[in-house]
């Protein structure tokens, strides 16, 4: 469902603050805050506090553990890409170097499944 941008492939690097659990590579955040970060392109990093999902992301093992603990909790049936901003203590960022993935709408398995389901 995702195609990596030429810029990301050329750099082979996704930059984010060292405390990041997950770095979203798709522009899906609905709430975020800018925090000072001297290695950001403009001296800031964007921390995502809410998102409607993600088609591409980089996750650390610590971040995956936090999400899995949240998902194993009582009453949570969120898919991983929604749970990752709801799990306690998650530090989700957008890349500070502008790296992002683009959605290939014509080859999207999610879009095909939604169409088949009548959405």
């Amino acid at each position: 469902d995702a195609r990596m941008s030429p810029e990301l492939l050329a750099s082979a690097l996704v930059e984010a603050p060292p405390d990041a659990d997950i770095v979203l590579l798709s522009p899906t955040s609905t709430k975020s805050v800018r925090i000072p970060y001297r290695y950001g392109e403009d001296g800031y990093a964007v921390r995502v506090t809410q998102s409607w999902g993600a088609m591409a992301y980089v996750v650390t093992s610590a971040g995956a553990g936090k999400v899995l603990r949240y998902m194993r909790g009582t009453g949570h049936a969120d898919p991983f890409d929604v749970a990752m901003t709801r799990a306690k203590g998650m530090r989700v960022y957008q890349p500070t170097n502008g790296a992002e993935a683009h959605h290939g709408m014509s080859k999207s398995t999610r879009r095909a499944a939604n169409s088949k389901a009548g959405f």
Side-chain angles (χ1 to χ4, degrees):
D1 284 347
R3 177 177 48 89
M4 302 308 265
S5 71
E7 294 82 12
L8 179 61
L9 294 174
S11 72
L13 181 66
V14 174
E15 294 179 19
D19 68 339
D21 291 310
I22 294 178
V23 181
L24 293 178
L25 299 179
S26 53
T28 58
S29 66
T30 54
K31 289 185 183 178
S32 61
V33 294
R34 286 171 34 107
I35 60 169
Y37 178 63
R38 74 178 176 150
Y39 297 112
E41 287 184 337
D42 61 356
Y44 289 89
V46 176
R47 184 161 176 186
V48 176
T49 57
Q50 184 178 337
S51 176
W52 54 266
M55 65 179 167
Y57 48 87
V58 177
V59 60
T60 66
S61 57
K66 289 177 184 180
V67 175
L68 291 173
R69 281 189 294 280
Y70 169 81
M71 292 175 75
R72 289 181 183 135
T74 306
H76 300 292
D78 298 325
F80 186 89
D81 62 347
V82 173
M84 66 188 184
T85 56
R86 294 183 179 171
K88 184 177 180 179
M90 288 301 296
R91 295 172 304 239
V92 181
Y93 290 94
Q94 292 177 341
T96 59
N97 62 340
E100 66 177 32
H102 299 277
H103 198 263
M105 296 304 278
S106 62
K107 297 180 181 179
S108 170
T109 56
R110 177 178 285 179
R111 186 178 169 106
N114 286 348
S115 292
K116 190 174 183 177
F119 297 112

